[in-house]
Amino acid sequence: MTILSHIEKGSILRRVGESDSTLDVKALVAQIKQDLHPGQLAFVEDENTEILGLSAGYGAGKTRALAAKSCLLAIANQGFLGCVMEPTGPLVRDIWMNDFESFLESYEIPYTFRASPLPDYTLHLPGGDTKILCRSFESWSRIIGLNLAWVLADEIDTVTPSIAQKAFPKILGRLRAGNVRQFAAASTPEGFRWMWNTFGTEEAQQRPDRKLIRMRSADNPHLPPDFIERLEANYDPSLLKAYLEGQFCNLTTGQVYDRFDRAKHVSVLPEKEYENEPLRVGIDFNIGNMSAVIGVRLNNSLYLIDEIKSAHDTDAMAQEIQRRADGRQVYVYPDASGGNRSTNASRTDIQILESYGFSNQSPRANPPVRDRVASVQALLENGKAEVRLQVAPWCKRTIECLELQSYTEAGDPDKDAGYDHMNDALGYLVYRDFSMIHARAGRGTGIRLY
Ligand SMILES: Nc1ncnc2c1ncn2[C@@H]1O[C@H](COP(=O)(O)OP(=O)(O)OP(=O)(O)O)[C@@H](O)[C@H]1O
Ligand SMILES: [Mg+2]
């Protein structure tokens, strides 16, 4: 083997960085631009603003706009280094590399990909090979020390704000090479985070070095026809302002269970850890739409293993619980007002449940709603950062309700949108079994904690 065997065929007499590419760059740029929708075009055409933002709804075409922009910036800075960042390593692989490769291929842009030590693409352009690094925000410190012409960031508002704030000035400090130096970030805004701090505040709006472009999901003609309808069906209006229009709006104060976070609370426990535990079933009565959450208590925590939605009446609910209990002991925690009234003519709802052999745990009267909410919030995460509620991923309705129930203007948990029932059912159970007052009942310490 000679040293020449390492050199690409046909490139032996080429100097490093030089290219034999015959790509018609002008035609390529024109074609790329022609295929963009107006918001994307405004974003890729602005090569003068130092710090450029693209705030846009889900599916509005952000990642696609970044793919186009990275090619155009590479063309404007041939022979110089650029970098594209995603929030995490897996997103670099699953989102960016996937979309970027199909973009390069659809425009027949010649490139070489190298996976290790970290992924990068080399575009073979007439003015020389031009490298595009692909990095995660998690490991942003690894680009420090490089001289870059441009950096693009995708979904920057999902990066932990402290990391984004720390990384941003350091990244700007690396833009030291090339002809067009630019930092551009695209994201669906997540409340008031990096995008807001950088482009939205009054102070940011005064600064001449930055500019924000907005796109709505509806601006992208390439989305499936029911995409927007589905989002509208699943999110409340304040979230839709962010998720469809890319507006800054408060995503959290409206949410009743704002301590709920899929990453922390949705998990699968091996069945053998709870197979002998009695079932604890929180129940909300609504004629024609009975809801129940089924959980097991493990030490100080609650694990929700099942849910029942839309049972027709109390008997149907009880039969369904019995079927799922499969012989196990069942404690029920129904809405206490089910002791006074009935969805059946002759017996109260609680009497019906008892007739199936379930042990009723509900107090004589319901606690105030805010105490019930507070006890669920505390189980989700308390002041000591203890997380004591886990939900199995197949309890889909419960997860949705925890995520989406919001406060009304009057400050009460909303009961119109239909996200209340599972949460109420869960609240009866949690208040009774996990709130401080009841947890201590019967111990006779004489100490009452409120
Ligand atoms: N100009 C375009 N030409 C052709 N297809 C496009 C264009 N812009 C977007 N698309 C397609 O529309 C879909 C959504 O675009 P993209 O993934 O860029 O949106 P996004 O805003 O990044 O979405 P998300 O919010 O999911 O990250 C993709 O399938 C993409 O290929
Ligand atoms: Mg995207």
Side-chain angles (χ1 to χ4, degrees), residues 30-46:
Q31 187 62 53
I32 290 176
K33 288 186 180 178
Q34 190 190 320
D35 295 341
L36 297 173
H37 67 63
Q40 292 174 320
L41 187 62
F43 179 68
V44 304
E45 282 197 320
D46 184 332

Side-chain angles (χ1 to χ4, degrees), residues 62-63 154-155:
K62 302 177 294 291
T63 306
D154 195 11
E155 293 302 350

Side-chain angles (χ1 to χ4, degrees), residues 158-171:
T158 65
V159 176
T160 310
S162 59
I163 293 181
Q165 287 302 358
K166 198 155 71 179
F168 175 53
K170 299 269 171 54
I171 293 170

